């Protein structure tokens, strides 16, 4: 009997040993299991594809943020070229004047002996201090991207070191709960949108600085051009008065008139000489304005502006309202501020706040209750609610009644009202600028087509009649003054037409002329 028992044990023991060995290998195989290659894309790393979904989403959000920052940095150029730009200078002119951005001597040399309007506007884009300040503010807004990434990276490293450990049979492997892993990719995406709206507002501020600086350059150009023309017209009229003084002196010497006529002519001549000096000083004032826009020293010489005729057409008014609502930089900036504040409120409502505990189990691990046949719940989310995407916190409305959220909501309401007010103000600004353009066009046509020729004819007739003794001296002086005033008014209305065009485009926010639109692509 004992012999049989011994024989049975001898035959069973190898099988038991073999079974124990198979269990150990099975246990190690389970613990080191990796999915087969056909479950991932060909050539992909299995370990890379086996990461939790939260990790992949977080990396994608980081990549999206870096891409957005690169796009904004590419848009921040010295000279704008996009289709939404207020002014796009010719590329060959930009290449020629680019050294002037850092060299005042090159900028000064571009203004003598004569300079064009495009040259002045391009130099303004390159050298204006307010535009440079706007560029710095835009760069400062872009640096907030790195701030949100740095904070979330630090928090993510913290969760990696403080995640729970499952103690039990086999090796101890750390495994963090998916719904407790922080930072959530959805929150990071929301932070990226907040930063993006802030950068959009800063870029709109830069666009406002460029638009206003270019508009001031255009107005200074047209004012300087008129003052130079007015000086020339005054000098021409002064020569006519000198000729009239000779006629009056000759008639006085022959006894055909009194010495009073000679005195009146001399008075008018001296007044014109003083007015010519006034126009020269006004020219210096507008030259100083140009030096201010270009950030050049006061001793820099400024040449004469090239003669240029403004566009004499007036666009239709109704399409300008819609164009201004879509492209006015102040409206775009306010919309970006509204979008940023809305996302800030959403972030405040989405952020999860810990309960009133010691947070001893904030990063707990309950893998025992989520695996195997005794699992009480699913290890991963099996559904996504409609109000929040995958990876967002599970209590998005916790703390919605906090005071700072109510305060921010009221500020948002006030900002929306400010946007409505700015839209109404924009419509009024467009209407007023259009009226000024229409008025300048009508008055310039009146002076140029009718009054200028009539006053010139009266001047010639009265001069010939005075020489023949058929016209009174008072009528001659009146004809000379009428000619001077009409000629100056015609040139002033011509410059006013160019200034009105600059103001209208400033009110709308985009170039209205086809040639300038085609330059911005």
């Amino acid at each position: 009997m004992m012999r049989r028992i011994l024989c049975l044990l001898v035959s069973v023991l190898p099988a038991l040993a073999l079974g124990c060995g198979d269990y150990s290998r099975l246990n190690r195989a389970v613990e080191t299991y990796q999915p087969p290659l056909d479950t991932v894309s060909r050539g992909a790393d299995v370990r890379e594809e086996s990461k939790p979904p939260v990790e992949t989403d977080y990396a994608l959000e980081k990549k999206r943020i870096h891409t957005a920052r690169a796009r904004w940095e590419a848009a921040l150029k010295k000279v704008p070229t996009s289709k939404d730009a207020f002014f796009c200078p010719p590329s060959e002119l930009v290449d020629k004047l680019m050294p002037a951005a850092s060299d005042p001597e090159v900028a000064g040399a571009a203004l003598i002996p004569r300079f064009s309007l495009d040259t002045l506007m391009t130099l303004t884009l390159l050298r204006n201090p307010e535009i440079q300040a706007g560029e710095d503010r835009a760069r400062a807004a872009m640096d907030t991207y790195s701030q949100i990434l740095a904070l979330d990276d630090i928090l993510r490293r913290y969760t990696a070191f403080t995640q729970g450990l499952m103690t039990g049979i086999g090796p101890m492997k750390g495994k963090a709960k998916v719904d407790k892993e922080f930072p959530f990719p959805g929150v990071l995406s929301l932070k990226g949108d907040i930063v993006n709206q802030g950068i959009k507002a800063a870029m709109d501020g830069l666009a406002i600085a460029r638009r206003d600086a270019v508009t001031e350059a255009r107005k200074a150009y047209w004012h300087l051009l008129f003052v130079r023309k007015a000086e020339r017209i005054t000098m021409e009229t002064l020569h006519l008065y000198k000729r009239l003084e000779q006629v009056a002196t000759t008639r006085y010497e022959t006894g055909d008139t009194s010495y009073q006529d000679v005195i009146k002519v001399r008075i008018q001549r001296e007044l014109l000489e003083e007015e010519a000096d006034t126009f020269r000083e006004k020219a210096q004032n507008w030259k100083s304005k140009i030096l201010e826009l270009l950030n050049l020293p006061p001793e820099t010489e400024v040449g004469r502006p090239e003669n240029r005729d403004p566009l004499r057409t007036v666009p239709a008014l109704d399409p300008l309202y819609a164009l201004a609502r879509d492209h006015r930089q102040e409206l775009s900036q306010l919309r970006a501020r509204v979008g940023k504040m809305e996302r800030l409120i959403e972030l405040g409502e989405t952020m999860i706040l810990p309960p009133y505990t010691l947070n001893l189990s904030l990063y707990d691990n309950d893998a025992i209750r989520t695996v195997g046949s005794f699992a009480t719940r699913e290890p991963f989310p099996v559904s996504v609610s409609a109000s929040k995407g995958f990876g967002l916190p599970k209590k998005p409305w916790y703390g919605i009644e906090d005071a700072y959220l109510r305060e921010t909501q009221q500020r948002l309401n006030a900002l929306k009202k400010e946007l409505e007010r700015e839209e109404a103000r924009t419509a009024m600004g467009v209407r007023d600028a259009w009226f000024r353009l229409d008025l300048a066009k009508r008055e310039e046509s009146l002076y140029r087509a009718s009054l200028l020729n009539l006053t010139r004819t009266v001047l010639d007739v009265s001069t010939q009649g005075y020489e023949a003794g058929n016209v009174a001296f008072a009528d001659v002086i009146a004809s000379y003054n009428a000619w001077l005033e009409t000629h100056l008014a015609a040139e002033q209305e011509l410059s006013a037409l160019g200034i009105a065009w600059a103001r209208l485009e400033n009110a709308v926010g985009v170039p209205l002329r086809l040639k300038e639109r085609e330059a911005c692509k």
Side-chain angles (χ1 to χ4, degrees), residues 152-168:
D152 285 352
D153 285 339
I154 292 174
L155 293 175
R156 195 164 184 80
R157 295 191 190 99
Y158 176 77
T159 59
F161 286 113
T162 59
Q163 60 186 355
L165 296 177
M166 182 184 71
T167 58

PDB file of all heavy atoms in Angstrom, residues 152-168:
ATOM      1  N   ASP A 152       0.829  74.386 -16.254  1.00  0.00           N
ATOM      2  CA  ASP A 152       0.238  73.064 -16.412  1.00  0.00           C
ATOM      3  C   ASP A 152       1.290  71.970 -16.451  1.00  0.00           C
ATOM      4  O   ASP A 152       1.053  70.855 -15.965  1.00  0.00           O
ATOM      5  CB  ASP A 152      -0.602  73.025 -17.689  1.00  0.00           C
ATOM      6  CG  ASP A 152      -1.917  73.762 -17.510  1.00  0.00           C
ATOM      7  OD1 ASP A 152      -2.205  74.144 -16.364  1.00  0.00           O
ATOM      8  OD2 ASP A 152      -2.633  73.962 -18.505  1.00  0.00           O
ATOM      9  N   ASP A 153       2.448  72.232 -17.010  1.00  0.00           N
ATOM     10  CA  ASP A 153       3.527  71.238 -17.010  1.00  0.00           C
ATOM     11  C   ASP A 153       3.992  70.950 -15.591  1.00  0.00           C
ATOM     12  O   ASP A 153       4.258  69.792 -15.226  1.00  0.00           O
ATOM     13  CB  ASP A 153       4.694  71.728 -17.859  1.00  0.00           C
ATOM     14  CG  ASP A 153       4.400  71.616 -19.348  1.00  0.00           C
ATOM     15  OD1 ASP A 153       3.504  70.825 -19.709  1.00  0.00           O
ATOM     16  OD2 ASP A 153       5.055  72.317 -20.138  1.00  0.00           O
ATOM     17  N   ILE A 154       4.087  71.997 -14.761  1.00  0.00           N
ATOM     18  CA  ILE A 154       4.493  71.779 -13.365  1.00  0.00           C
ATOM     19  C   ILE A 154       3.450  70.943 -12.623  1.00  0.00           C
ATOM     20  O   ILE A 154       3.782  69.992 -11.898  1.00  0.00           O
ATOM     21  CB  ILE A 154       4.703  73.138 -12.673  1.00  0.00           C
ATOM     22  CG1 ILE A 154       5.918  73.839 -13.269  1.00  0.00           C
ATOM     23  CG2 ILE A 154       4.888  72.961 -11.165  1.00  0.00           C
ATOM     24  CD1 ILE A 154       6.129  75.253 -12.749  1.00  0.00           C
ATOM     25  N   LEU A 155       2.180  71.275 -12.807  1.00  0.00           N
ATOM     26  CA  LEU A 155       1.122  70.503 -12.158  1.00  0.00           C
ATOM     27  C   LEU A 155       1.095  69.064 -12.656  1.00  0.00           C
ATOM     28  O   LEU A 155       0.816  68.136 -11.889  1.00  0.00           O
ATOM     29  CB  LEU A 155      -0.227  71.177 -12.407  1.00  0.00           C
ATOM     30  CG  LEU A 155      -0.427  72.547 -11.746  1.00  0.00           C
ATOM     31  CD1 LEU A 155      -1.749  73.153 -12.183  1.00  0.00           C
ATOM     32  CD2 LEU A 155      -0.376  72.428 -10.236  1.00  0.00           C
ATOM     33  N   ARG A 156       1.408  68.884 -13.910  1.00  0.00           N
ATOM     34  CA  ARG A 156       1.393  67.525 -14.452  1.00  0.00           C
ATOM     35  C   ARG A 156       2.541  66.699 -13.873  1.00  0.00           C
ATOM     36  O   ARG A 156       2.377  65.517 -13.583  1.00  0.00           O
ATOM     37  CB  ARG A 156       1.482  67.592 -15.974  1.00  0.00           C
ATOM     38  CG  ARG A 156       1.099  66.273 -16.637  1.00  0.00           C
ATOM     39  CD  ARG A 156       0.822  66.489 -18.095  1.00  0.00           C
ATOM     40  NE  ARG A 156       0.369  65.257 -18.698  1.00  0.00           N
ATOM     41  CZ  ARG A 156      -0.864  64.801 -18.613  1.00  0.00           C
ATOM     42  NH1 ARG A 156      -1.766  65.486 -17.962  1.00  0.00           N
ATOM     43  NH2 ARG A 156      -1.219  63.668 -19.186  1.00  0.00           N
ATOM     44  N   ARG A 157       3.686  67.298 -13.715  1.00  0.00           N
ATOM     45  CA  ARG A 157       4.781  66.572 -13.064  1.00  0.00           C
ATOM     46  C   ARG A 157       4.420  66.241 -11.619  1.00  0.00           C
ATOM     47  O   ARG A 157       4.769  65.180 -11.098  1.00  0.00           O
ATOM     48  CB  ARG A 157       6.049  67.414 -13.112  1.00  0.00           C
ATOM     49  CG  ARG A 157       6.596  67.650 -14.520  1.00  0.00           C
ATOM     50  CD  ARG A 157       7.980  68.261 -14.469  1.00  0.00           C
ATOM     51  NE  ARG A 157       8.416  68.704 -15.786  1.00  0.00           N
ATOM     52  CZ  ARG A 157       8.360  69.960 -16.210  1.00  0.00           C
ATOM     53  NH1 ARG A 157       7.891  70.900 -15.397  1.00  0.00           N
ATOM     54  NH2 ARG A 157       8.768  70.297 -17.409  1.00  0.00           N
ATOM     55  N   TYR A 158       3.707  67.137 -10.947  1.00  0.00           N
ATOM     56  CA  TYR A 158       3.326  66.889  -9.564  1.00  0.00           C
ATOM     57  C   TYR A 158       2.406  65.684  -9.468  1.00  0.00           C
ATOM     58  O   TYR A 158       2.556  64.838  -8.575  1.00  0.00           O
ATOM     59  CB  TYR A 158       2.628  68.131  -9.005  1.00  0.00           C
ATOM     60  CG  TYR A 158       2.095  67.948  -7.610  1.00  0.00           C
ATOM     61  CD1 TYR A 158       2.950  67.986  -6.517  1.00  0.00           C
ATOM     62  CD2 TYR A 158       0.737  67.746  -7.393  1.00  0.00           C
ATOM     63  CE1 TYR A 158       2.472  67.810  -5.239  1.00  0.00           C
ATOM     64  CE2 TYR A 158       0.244  67.567  -6.119  1.00  0.00           C
ATOM     65  CZ  TYR A 158       1.106  67.604  -5.044  1.00  0.00           C
ATOM     66  OH  TYR A 158       0.622  67.432  -3.779  1.00  0.00           O
ATOM     67  N   THR A 159       1.431  65.574 -10.380  1.00  0.00           N
ATOM     68  CA  THR A 159       0.531  64.429 -10.350  1.00  0.00           C
ATOM     69  C   THR A 159       1.269  63.137 -10.650  1.00  0.00           C
ATOM     70  O   THR A 159       0.911  62.072 -10.143  1.00  0.00           O
ATOM     71  CB  THR A 159      -0.590  64.616 -11.374  1.00  0.00           C
ATOM     72  OG1 THR A 159      -0.022  64.756 -12.679  1.00  0.00           O
ATOM     73  CG2 THR A 159      -1.407  65.848 -11.062  1.00  0.00           C
ATOM     74  N   ALA A 160       2.315  63.210 -11.469  1.00  0.00           N
ATOM     75  CA  ALA A 160       3.085  62.000 -11.775  1.00  0.00           C
ATOM     76  C   ALA A 160       3.810  61.479 -10.543  1.00  0.00           C
ATOM     77  O   ALA A 160       3.940  60.272 -10.354  1.00  0.00           O
ATOM     78  CB  ALA A 160       4.078  62.290 -12.892  1.00  0.00           C
ATOM     79  N   PHE A 161       4.287  62.381  -9.691  1.00  0.00           N
ATOM     80  CA  PHE A 161       5.017  61.957  -8.495  1.00  0.00           C
ATOM     81  C   PHE A 161       4.101  61.633  -7.328  1.00  0.00           C
ATOM     82  O   PHE A 161       4.518  60.964  -6.383  1.00  0.00           O
ATOM     83  CB  PHE A 161       6.000  63.048  -8.073  1.00  0.00           C
ATOM     84  CG  PHE A 161       7.206  63.139  -8.955  1.00  0.00           C
ATOM     85  CD1 PHE A 161       7.403  64.253  -9.748  1.00  0.00           C
ATOM     86  CD2 PHE A 161       8.137  62.107  -9.024  1.00  0.00           C
ATOM     87  CE1 PHE A 161       8.499  64.347 -10.579  1.00  0.00           C
ATOM     88  CE2 PHE A 161       9.231  62.202  -9.851  1.00  0.00           C
ATOM     89  CZ  PHE A 161       9.429  63.317 -10.631  1.00  0.00           C
ATOM     90  N   THR A 162       2.882  62.109  -7.324  1.00  0.00           N
ATOM     91  CA  THR A 162       1.998  61.898  -6.175  1.00  0.00           C
ATOM     92  C   THR A 162       0.857  60.938  -6.479  1.00  0.00           C
ATOM     93  O   THR A 162      -0.086  60.853  -5.704  1.00  0.00           O
ATOM     94  CB  THR A 162       1.402  63.238  -5.732  1.00  0.00           C
ATOM     95  OG1 THR A 162       0.685  63.813  -6.819  1.00  0.00           O
ATOM     96  CG2 THR A 162       2.477  64.182  -5.255  1.00  0.00           C
ATOM     97  N   GLN A 163       0.907  60.229  -7.583  1.00  0.00           N
ATOM     98  CA  GLN A 163      -0.180  59.321  -7.917  1.00  0.00           C
ATOM     99  C   GLN A 163      -0.156  58.120  -6.971  1.00  0.00           C
ATOM    100  O   GLN A 163       0.870  57.758  -6.402  1.00  0.00           O
ATOM    101  CB  GLN A 163      -0.065  58.861  -9.362  1.00  0.00           C
ATOM    102  CG  GLN A 163       1.219  58.129  -9.684  1.00  0.00           C
ATOM    103  CD  GLN A 163       1.319  57.834 -11.170  1.00  0.00           C
ATOM    104  OE1 GLN A 163       0.385  58.105 -11.897  1.00  0.00           O
ATOM    105  NE2 GLN A 163       2.422  57.276 -11.594  1.00  0.00           N
ATOM    106  N   GLY A 164      -1.330  57.503  -6.794  1.00  0.00           N
ATOM    107  CA  GLY A 164      -1.458  56.412  -5.838  1.00  0.00           C
ATOM    108  C   GLY A 164      -0.765  55.142  -6.310  1.00  0.00           C
ATOM    109  O   GLY A 164      -0.504  54.928  -7.486  1.00  0.00           O
ATOM    110  N   LEU A 165      -0.447  54.251  -5.388  1.00  0.00           N
ATOM    111  CA  LEU A 165       0.200  52.966  -5.659  1.00  0.00           C
ATOM    112  C   LEU A 165      -0.728  51.848  -5.218  1.00  0.00           C
ATOM    113  O   LEU A 165      -1.289  51.895  -4.112  1.00  0.00           O
ATOM    114  CB  LEU A 165       1.528  52.866  -4.926  1.00  0.00           C
ATOM    115  CG  LEU A 165       2.601  53.875  -5.342  1.00  0.00           C
ATOM    116  CD1 LEU A 165       3.836  53.705  -4.475  1.00  0.00           C
ATOM    117  CD2 LEU A 165       2.955  53.731  -6.793  1.00  0.00           C
ATOM    118  N   MET A 166      -0.928  50.838  -6.039  1.00  0.00           N
ATOM    119  CA  MET A 166      -1.757  49.692  -5.698  1.00  0.00           C
ATOM    120  C   MET A 166      -0.873  48.630  -5.053  1.00  0.00           C
ATOM    121  O   MET A 166       0.024  48.073  -5.696  1.00  0.00           O
ATOM    122  CB  MET A 166      -2.437  49.126  -6.949  1.00  0.00           C
ATOM    123  CG  MET A 166      -3.354  47.956  -6.653  1.00  0.00           C
ATOM    124  SD  MET A 166      -4.052  47.240  -8.138  1.00  0.00           S
ATOM    125  CE  MET A 166      -2.587  46.466  -8.829  1.00  0.00           C
ATOM    126  N   THR A 167      -1.103  48.383  -3.806  1.00  0.00           N
ATOM    127  CA  THR A 167      -0.325  47.362  -3.101  1.00  0.00           C
ATOM    128  C   THR A 167      -1.087  46.062  -3.142  1.00  0.00           C
ATOM    129  O   THR A 167      -2.299  46.003  -2.928  1.00  0.00           O
ATOM    130  CB  THR A 167      -0.104  47.779  -1.644  1.00  0.00           C
ATOM    131  OG1 THR A 167      -1.372  47.982  -1.041  1.00  0.00           O
ATOM    132  CG2 THR A 167       0.706  49.067  -1.583  1.00  0.00           C
ATOM    133  N   GLY A 168      -0.426  44.990  -3.397  1.00  0.00           N
ATOM    134  CA  GLY A 168      -1.068  43.681  -3.479  1.00  0.00           C
ATOM    135  C   GLY A 168      -0.102  42.688  -4.095  1.00  0.00           C
ATOM    136  O   GLY A 168       1.116  42.820  -4.028  1.00  0.00           O
TER     137      GLY A 168
END
